Every structure is written in structure tokens, then in C-alpha cells.
Amino acid sequence: LEKKGYTCRVWNDEIDRMSSQHIDLNKDIHIVYWSNKYQPISKLKKKGYQFHNAVSLWTYYVTTDGGGYKRSNKEDIYRYWNPKSFADPFKKAKTVPASQYAGAYFCIWCDYPDRKTQKEVWSLTKGRTWSSSAKMWNRQINTEDSGSGKALSYSSFSKYTSRLGTFPGYSGSPAKVSTLPKAQPVKQAPLP
């Protein structure tokens, strides 16, 4: 796959899980770190991998909620989640160097896909998706270091996203293919 231009990714739960593992993971493979129950990130980062944050108790919605994923509610994600920390909620931050941080995910795990309809899943994840997307874009959005000079409260953020309704290009139907609108050319503002 790499020869065809792809960057491969692997979930962290099977890496070095057994002492009998005798094949080293290719250093160019990115690790999607979803669970702190397995190999600690402190050990994996020493090996030089690139990491994507998908820590399950922050970034997952599971249709059956078999693992307590309801704890990652939209307000807590907005107020407390740090996409650059690979720690479980409200634990001491676990970070990797900026050169090893490759991004983050919000994951929907349809363990029983017939349990809920696409519209039900969307309605249950829409707020979490908005919150996690905002924090991935600007993890300091709710602080004075947001870039605007003031913190955006969750209440204001929630009102704003309610007015927007959906993401750009999303029709409101999960069954329809979404197409992003064509971006307008960037124009240089005249200098003062």
C-alpha cells in the first residue's frame, strides 16, 4: 500500500500485546491510539511512530454503549478534551512530541448496525461531532488564548452550532452523499 502512495494506520490494541510477537511494526505506519488498556503511549512514542488521537472515552460513540462511551458528552468534550492528550477523561495528560502528533478522530462504532437508524445515530452524535471538530481545529477555543482574545463559552458555541444546523455540504440526510461546497478564491486584503 505504501508503494501506491497510501499511509497505513493501525489501532494500538494489538501492538506488542504478546511477548511472542516477532514481527516489528513498520515505522512508517501511523498508530490510531484508542485505548489505554494496552501498550502505554509512553512506550510506543519512544519508537518514533506518528499518532492519531482516538481515545475511546472521549472520541467514541457506540450504538450499544457497551463500554461506557456515553461519558464523552458534547459539553465535556468542548470544555475539557485536549486532542493532543492521549489520556482517558480527567487523567493526567499523556502527550507526544508535536512531530509525532498526526491528528485526531471522532469515531462511530456500529457494533450492532441495525440497532439504530442513520438519523438516530446522527442526532445522538451531532453535538459531540461539533465539539470534537471545534477542539481539533482550535483546542483553545474555550480559553482566552483562542485567538480571538476571549473564551467562547459552551453555551455560546452551542447556540452558534444550532444556528448553523449542519456541516458545510451536509444535506441533513446521512443516506445521501455529501459534497463540500466549492471554496471561493482567497483574496489578499489591501495592506493599511
Side-chain angles (χ1 to χ4, degrees):
L1 290 171
E2 287 177 342
K3 288 178 183 176
K4 294 188 178 285
Y6 291 97
T7 299
C8 298
R9 296 178 184 165
V10 64
W11 298 100
N12 74 292
D13 51 336
E14 295 299 327
I15 301 171
D16 295 335
R17 188 171 182 180
M18 296 180 222
S19 60
S20 63
Q21 185 171 332
H22 61 278
I23 298 172
D24 289 329
L25 186 63
N26 181 325
K27 296 293 183 211
D28 293 330
I29 293 176
H30 290 202
I31 296 175
V32 180
Y33 198 88
W34 78 278
S35 177
N36 282 294
K37 293 179 185 177
Y38 305 101
Q39 196 66 261
I41 198 155
S42 58
K43 185 174 180 182
L44 293 172
K45 76 179 177 182
K46 289 177 185 174
K47 295 183 178 188
Y49 298 111
Q50 295 282 306
F51 294 92
H52 299 261
N53 189 337
V55 173
S56 61
L57 297 177
W58 282 116
T59 66
Y60 266 65
Y61 172 79
V62 179
T63 57
T64 59
D65 191 38
Y69 302 105
K70 287 183 181 174
R71 287 183 271 180
S72 64
N73 69 65
K74 58 190 176 186
E75 188 169 353
D76 281 352
I77 292 169
Y78 183 80
R79 293 178 70 205
Y80 304 114
W81 182 51
N82 175 356
K84 293 188 175 185
S85 173
F86 293 81
D88 287 335
F90 310 108
K91 303 287 183 184
K92 184 180 176 194
K94 296 178 182 180
T95 61
V96 298
S99 62
Q100 288 180 267
Y101 179 74
Y105 287 97
F106 182 83
C107 304
I108 298 174
W109 189 265
C110 295
D111 50 348
Y112 292 92
D114 295 332
R115 181 159 272 182
K116 293 186 173 98
T117 67
Q118 292 171 331
K119 285 187 178 187
E120 288 172 316
V121 170
W122 172 247
S123 72
L124 292 166
T125 59
K126 181 178 171 182
R128 295 182 205 188
T129 305
W130 274 115
S131 291
S132 61
S133 296
K135 291 300 287 254
M136 285 181 222
W137 185 262
N138 180 357
R139 69 184 173 96
Q140 296 176 319
I141 190 171
N142 56 341
T143 73
E144 289 185 10
D145 294 326
S146 66
S148 67
K150 61 181 181 175
L152 181 62
S153 70
Y154 178 75
S155 175
S156 296
F157 173 76
S158 184
K159 287 175 189 171
Y160 177 69
T161 59
S162 291
R163 284 195 313 268
L164 291 174
T166 63
F167 295 93
Y170 181 62
S171 68
S173 171
K176 292 182 181 175
V177 174
S178 297
T179 305
L180 289 174
K182 185 173 180 168
Q184 298 299 312
V186 177
K187 295 180 182 176
Q188 177 67 43
L191 297 174

